[in-house]
Amino acid sequence: MQVRSFQLSDYSLVTALLEDVLSPECCAQTMEAFGRQLSWDSDLVLVAQEGDAIVGMIIGTIDHNRGFYYRVAVHSDYQRQGIGKALTQGLRQRFVQRNVSQIFITADEHNEPILPWYESLGFAANDFFRSFQKLSIVAG
């Protein structure tokens, strides 16, 4: 499995992954944020590739020297294999390279169920950024 930057040729595979893994409402919000993040800074969108398949992806953003994990998605057949952790570590490296002072997890209604997973990675409750603003407003 390889974690790498998103490439335009990944678009249809990433879209299919998000449609498969996320609820319709979450997928629509994520696709909107995904498009905006690609226009701002595509280096903060990473994919996990296994062979020819995209099995996971993560969207991050930076706002005022703070890094945010916005959305992580891993194909159901590949969950609990360390792919989500590898994606968050890859994005963390990008944040460190850019001298981000703090890293937060966007804790919207769709991420609430996986906050315990982030805690298992060492994040604490004060690392969760709860806001009703969407990524397009937070980072814009």
Side-chain angles (χ1 to χ4, degrees):
M1 191 261 315
Q2 173 192 16
V3 173
R4 61 170 175 78
S5 296
F6 171 85
Q7 299 169 358
L8 190 55
S9 60
D10 300 325
Y11 187 81
S12 62
L13 294 174
V14 167
T15 300
L17 170 72
L18 295 175
E19 289 172 348
D20 186 53
V21 173
L22 305 177
S23 70
E25 180 186 354
C26 181
C27 185
Q29 289 177 9
T30 302
M31 288 302 296
E32 181 182 326
F34 175 49
R36 283 196 170 91
Q37 188 57 41
L38 289 178
S39 71
W40 293 328
D41 188 347
S42 63
D43 225 25
L44 298 178
V45 178
L46 303 179
V47 298
Q49 182 176 351
E50 182 70 42
D52 292 335
I54 299 297
V55 297
M57 66 94 66
I58 191 166
I59 302 170
T61 194
I62 296 174
D63 181 38
H64 295 85
N65 207 36
R66 296 181 302 171
F68 293 86
Y69 293 115
Y70 175 69
R71 187 81 69 227
V72 62
V74 176
H75 190 281
S76 57
D77 292 343
Y78 293 86
Q79 291 178 2
R80 293 175 176 47
Q81 297 180 25
I83 293 171
K85 182 177 182 178
L87 287 164
T88 57
Q89 289 173 337
L91 188 53
R92 181 185 219 48
Q93 290 174 349
R94 305 263 169 121
F95 289 153
V96 168
Q97 290 169 352
R98 295 180 184 203
N99 300 314
V100 165
S101 62
Q102 292 177 293
I103 299 174
F104 294 98
I105 291 88
T106 304
D108 64 12
E109 68 272 18
H110 304 294
N111 279 346
E112 286 287 336
I114 66 166
L115 295 183
W117 175 76
Y118 278 110
E119 289 174 336
S120 77
L121 297 179
F123 290 94
N126 60 345
D127 297 321
F128 302 141
F129 181 78
R130 288 179 167 83
S131 173
F132 294 105
Q133 297 176 325
K134 295 182 182 174
L135 176 64
S136 60
I137 297 170
V138 172

